[in-house]
Amino acid sequence: MKIAVTYENGQIFQHFGHTEQFKIYTAEGGKIIHSEVVDTNGSGHGALAGLLSALHVDTLICGGIGGGAQTALTQAGIKLYGGVSGSADAAVKALLGGTLGFDPNVKCDHHDHHGEGHTCGNHGCGHCH
C-alpha cells in the first residue's frame, strides 16, 4: 500500500491543489516500512493526480480538495481520505490502525467566494462552469 499525504512541516497541508510536497508512505502488514518527501515541482490541481498515479500511490490523505481533483483521483483509482488535519505521520498510523477520522463529503471551500468578476479559469475547482 502506498499512501500520499499533502505535506508541510510535518503537518497535513490543507489545500490539495496548492501543496508543494507530498509525504509518501509505503506500508505492509499495517506498518510503515518506508517514507519519503516528494516535491510537486509546481504541478497544480489536475496534474497532481497524475503525479500520484506515476508514484503508484493508491491512497491520499489531505485537508480540503475540490471536486475536479476528486474526480481525477477517482479516475486514477486513488482512494481519498479528506478533511484531515494535524500530523501527517499520526494520520497514516491512524489510517493503518483503522481509526482515522475523515470527512467523506469533503470539498474545497476556498472557492465559495465566487462573486461578481471572479473567474476560476480551468483550475478544476468543480464549482465553475
Side-chain angles (χ1 to χ4, degrees):
M1 177 180 213
K2 275 191 121 169
I3 304 161
V5 181
T6 51
Y7 189 74
E8 184 178 60
N9 298 322
Q11 300 294 303
I12 298 168
F13 186 69
Q14 290 301 298
H15 186 108
F16 173 80
H18 292 281
T19 194
E20 293 182 9
Q21 295 180 317
F22 287 106
K23 189 165 183 181
I24 310 291
Y25 300 81
T26 303
E28 286 180 11
K31 301 221 181 302
I32 298 167
I33 60 169
H34 179 73
S35 66
E36 65 181 319
V37 176
V38 176
D39 287 333
T40 63
N41 296 318
S43 298
H45 292 87
L48 291 174
L51 172 68
L52 294 176
S53 184
L55 293 169
H56 307 289
V57 166
D58 50 47
T59 304
L60 171 70
I61 298 173
C62 68
I65 183 168
Q70 289 183 32
T71 299
L73 289 169
T74 299
Q75 289 171 346
I78 298 171
K79 185 161 177 54
L80 171 65
Y81 294 89
V84 183
S85 60
S87 162
D89 292 351
V92 172
K93 288 175 185 167
L95 175 67
L96 294 173
T99 61
L100 180 65
F102 68 99
D103 180 359
N105 300 311
V106 69
K107 74 175 184 94
C108 173
D109 61 5
H110 88 277
H111 294 291
D112 288 347
H113 62 261
H114 288 188
E116 201 172 316
H118 177 83
T119 60
C120 284
N122 61 356
H123 69 199
C125 74
H127 298 283
C128 302
H129 303 287

